[in-house]
Amino acid sequence: MNELIQVTYENDRPTVLGRDWHELLEVNSNYTTWFKRMCDYGFTENIDYATCFPNLESENQHGGQNKIDHQLTIDMAKEICMLQRTEKGKQAR
């Protein structure tokens, strides 16, 4: 677990990108399905996470579909690690 996840300090609380967290935890399902499943555990938009479109400008230049991402609070990211019940989740905790 030598990979680093970029932590953003733009607001009053530090956050990590959901897609980065999904990749770090080596989740087998696609990001959108996984994130919806994680939200079923009671996470709330604009409290635990915020929806964002990090590649909006670059995707529009190439005619591709914009990918939704989420800025997860550190508390939400930690709780997701516990929910994963995998070795990667344990290491990330």
Side-chain angles (χ1 to χ4, degrees), residues 3-18:
E3 308 97 48
L4 296 176
I5 292 291
Q6 182 178 353
V7 177
T8 303
Y9 295 93
E10 290 178 8
N11 298 319
D12 57 339
R13 296 188 298 180
T15 60
V16 295
L17 282 176

Side-chain angles (χ1 to χ4, degrees), residues 21-88:
W21 210 240
H22 177 261
E23 184 178 328
L24 173 88
L25 295 172
E26 298 177 350
V27 177
N28 292 327
S29 60
N30 70 48
Y31 175 75
T32 305
T33 302
W34 171 80
F35 189 77
K36 285 178 184 176
R37 204 171 58 243
M38 293 300 102
C39 287
D40 288 344
Y41 285 97
F43 297 113
T44 306
E45 188 168 13
N46 298 322
I47 295 174
D48 299 305
Y49 67 92
T51 301
C52 62
F53 300 90
N55 297 322
L56 185 61
E57 293 175 15
S58 63
E59 293 292 330
N60 283 339
Q61 292 174 358
H62 302 290
Q65 183 176 350
N66 295 317
K67 291 184 178 180
I68 288 180
D69 205 343
H70 301 90
Q71 289 284 347
L72 313 180
T73 62
I74 299 300
D75 288 339
M76 180 177 178
K78 286 179 185 177
E79 194 164 338
I80 285 174
C81 287
M82 291 184 276
L83 295 170
Q84 294 306 302
R85 299 181 306 203
T86 64
E87 187 60 32
K88 282 289 188 177

